[in-house]
């Protein structure tokens, strides 16, 4: 059964990687998508807002579907839909075609995000130690690969379809074959849901707020870092593209080592440190005298924010062990809420006040996470220290694992 867990962990990590690459390929080619379909600047925000809104609908739908269908099956079929929708975005010629493709992408990505994290949390529970940050590190790695491929496509003026097609041809069969090894813990959890009680939103609310604040910070970097460096700090256009890549690399590094920090010091300490480092990053960005100091701030942001989201999903699973799938599906909605709020919030504050001052707002919101840090504490175990410990699945051959 140890081999079963290892294969399940590897296949799920690859699913996270594939989704990171797919999402990066979409968002980093938005200017090309706008040009291909003749989407006006006034209409573009409508398209951009529709995707996370529909993703929220997909997440809510997944909450109800997992009561009858295993999360592994939902992930197995939603990931190909996301990849095919990406192809649809690159293959269309008319506005209605890209609208349908983006709509399908949004609905499917909501189901995909929710089911991926459901499987990650249930697998972490079986392992008995922190592994969620590793899955999100794979997502960050995929994002770096996807963004690099998108840069190459833009640099050599490759069409969207030609840019997307090889990725889909590789990832679609690979993820589908890999899905046969998913380890699904949702079915027994749902059978216990009646005994465990429903998800009480009042208890889940602190984690929902933390998720929202984290994604406000994340969307600030993805949407405003280039403009901030160029317009406020006076960098060149070429240098202005660097902060987001630096942010993604430091996110990957932070998540790659974050699980070791959680195992050694506990989730509460890691989340608190992440919030402080992220707030420091926003402060450095706000007072930076030049572009290179600004990039230092974005580097700190990547190291700080990267640990918060995976640990928020893990905390929801611990808070409602008898109904973790439901809790994760509801929590996942606030991923999209933060994304929807972050970019317009900073833009409005920047226009009405100034962009340096606007960077202080996500800084304050991230610091609010410190007040909710106790929500990340695991239940006390037989060791009496509140730290996670490996279960029999981690001991070695001969254990009954699942």
């Amino acid at each position: 059964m140890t081999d079963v867990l290892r294969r399940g962990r590897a296949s799920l990590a690859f699913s996270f990687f594939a989704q990171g690459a797919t999402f990066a390929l979409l968002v980093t080619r938005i200017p090309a998508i706008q040009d291909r379909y003749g989407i006006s600047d006034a209409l573009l925000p409508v398209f951009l807002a529709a995707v996370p809104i529909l993703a929220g609908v997909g997440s809510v739908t997944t909450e109800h579907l997992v009561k009858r269908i295993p999360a592994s099956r939902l992930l197995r079929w939603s990931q190909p839909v996301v990849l095919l929708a990406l192809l649809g975005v690159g293959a269309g010629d008319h506005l209605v075609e890209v609208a349908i493709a983006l709509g399908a992408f949004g609905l499917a990505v909501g189901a995909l995000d929710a089911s991926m994290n459901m499987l990650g949390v249930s697998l972490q529970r079986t392992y008995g130690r922190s592994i969620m940050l590793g899955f999100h590190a794979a997502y960050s790695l995929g994002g770096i690969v996807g963004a690099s491929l998108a840069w190459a496509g833009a640099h050599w003026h490759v069409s969207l379809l030609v840019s997307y097609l090889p990725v889909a041809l590789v990832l679609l069969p690979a993820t589908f074959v890999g899905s046969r090894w998913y380890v699904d813990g949702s079915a027994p959890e749902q059978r216990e849901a009646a005994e465990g009680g429903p998800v009480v939103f009042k208890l889940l609310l602190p984690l929902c707020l933390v998720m929202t604040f984290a994604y406000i910070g994340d969307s600030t970097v993805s949407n405003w870092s280039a403009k901030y460096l160029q317009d406020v700090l006076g960098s060149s256009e070429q240098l202005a593209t660097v902060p987001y890549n630096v942010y993604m690399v430091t996110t990957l590094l932070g998540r790659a080592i974050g699980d070791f920090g959680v195992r050694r010091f506990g989730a509460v300490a890691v989340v608190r440190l992440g919030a402080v480092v992220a707030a420091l990053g926003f402060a450095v960005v706000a007072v930076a005298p030049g572009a290179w100091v600004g990039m230092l701030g974005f580097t700190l942001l990547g190291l700080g924010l990267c640990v918060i989201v995976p640990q928020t999903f893990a905390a929801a699973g611990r808070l409602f062990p008898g109904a973790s799938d439901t809790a994760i599906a509801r929590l996942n909605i606030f991923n999209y809420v933060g994304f929807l709020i972050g970019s317009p919030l900073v833009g409005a504050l920047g226009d009405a006040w100034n962009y340096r001052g606007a960077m202080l707002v996500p800084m304050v919101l991230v610091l609010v996470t410190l007040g909710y840090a106790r929500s990340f504490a695991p239940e006390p175990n037989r060791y009496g220290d509140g730290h996670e410990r490996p279960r029999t699945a981690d001991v070695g051959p001969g254990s009954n694992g699942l």
Side-chain angles (χ1 to χ4, degrees):
M1 297 306 292
T2 301
D3 291 337
V4 170
L5 294 178
R6 288 172 179 164
R7 287 194 295 267
R9 184 177 179 182
S11 62
L12 184 59
F14 184 73
S15 180
F16 271 86
F17 170 85
Q19 176 55 9
T22 304
F23 191 76
L25 279 166
L26 178 74
V27 299
T28 54
R29 297 302 306 271
I30 286 174
I33 295 170
Q34 185 179 11
D35 291 341
R36 178 181 179 87
Y37 293 96
I39 302 172
S40 67
D41 289 339
L43 190 58
L44 182 62
V46 177
F47 278 83
L48 297 181
V51 174
I53 290 172
L54 289 171
V57 174
S59 188
V60 171
T61 303
T62 302
E63 172 190 341
H64 299 287
L65 289 176
V66 292
K67 296 175 183 178
R68 298 175 177 84
I69 303 171
S72 60
R73 193 175 303 169
L74 291 174
L75 177 55
R76 178 178 297 122
W77 292 106
S78 61
Q79 194 144 45
V81 173
V82 170
L83 287 164
L84 291 173
L86 181 70
L87 278 181
V89 170
D93 293 311
H94 301 95
L95 200 61
V96 66
E97 293 172 341
V98 73
I100 292 171
L102 287 174
F105 186 95
L107 287 170
V109 87
L112 189 151
D113 285 346
S115 56
M116 273 199 316
N117 284 288
M118 289 173 187
L119 290 179
V121 168
S122 65
L123 192 58
Q124 175 169 284
R125 183 183 298 114
T126 305
Y127 264 78
R129 58 185 174 87
S130 179
I131 59 173
M132 277 295 288
L133 280 158
F135 293 131
H136 285 260
Y139 181 95
S140 297
L141 179 60
I144 293 170
V145 171
S148 300
L149 292 173
W151 177 89
H155 181 73
W156 281 291
H157 305 288
V158 177
S159 71
L160 288 171
L161 181 59
V162 174
S163 181
Y164 291 162
L165 185 59
V167 176
L169 289 177
V170 171
L171 292 182
L172 204 157
T175 53
F176 192 77
V177 171
S179 68
R180 64 182 295 186
W181 292 295
Y182 291 154
V183 176
D184 198 322
S186 62
E189 290 172 9
Q190 293 303 325
R191 286 195 293 268
E192 294 170 6
E195 298 177 8
V199 173
V200 180
F201 185 71
K202 183 178 179 180
L203 297 178
L204 188 64
L205 181 59
L207 297 177
C208 294
L209 292 174
V210 170
M211 181 71 80
T212 302
F213 299 154
Y215 270 98
I216 287 174
D218 181 83
S219 65
T220 298
V221 178
S222 59
N223 289 292
W224 293 104
S225 59
K227 181 177 176 62
Y228 187 87
L229 224 71
Q230 190 170 354
D231 294 355
V232 179
L233 301 183
S235 78
S236 65
E237 183 178 356
Q238 184 176 1
L239 187 61
T241 65
V242 175
Y244 185 69
N245 287 330
V246 171
Y247 173 78
M248 290 298 296
V249 170
T250 53
T251 295
L252 171 63
L253 293 174
R255 287 173 171 174
I257 63 174
D259 281 322
F260 298 103
V262 173
R263 295 169 198 165
R264 178 65 179 86
F265 302 106
V268 174
V270 169
V271 169
R272 282 176 173 163
L273 178 62
V276 170
V277 172
L280 179 61
F282 275 118
V284 171
V285 169
V287 302
W292 291 103
V293 177
M295 280 197 286
L296 172 62
F298 287 114
T299 300
L300 292 172
L301 278 170
L303 290 172
L305 288 176
C306 69
V307 300
I308 297 176
V309 171
Q311 286 306 307
T312 306
F313 280 119
R318 288 192 297 267
L319 188 61
F320 299 99
S324 64
D325 285 356
T326 299
I328 291 166
R330 294 182 186 179
L331 178 63
N332 188 55
I333 297 169
F334 290 85
N335 161 353
Y336 312 117
V337 171
F339 193 85
L340 278 170
I341 292 174
S343 181
L345 175 66
V346 172
L349 289 171
D351 291 338
W353 184 16
N354 62 71
Y355 282 97
R356 287 187 184 273
M359 290 295 166
L360 298 177
V361 175
M363 180 195 76
V364 172
L365 292 177
V366 169
L367 281 175
V368 173
T369 298
L370 295 174
Y372 298 121
R374 293 306 305 172
S375 299
F376 291 82
E379 291 295 325
N381 53 34
R382 63 188 178 87
Y383 295 90
D385 58 4
H387 286 262
E388 295 173 299
R389 289 290 189 273
R391 297 186 182 182
T392 54
D394 273 334
V395 172
S399 62
N400 63 9
L402 296 175

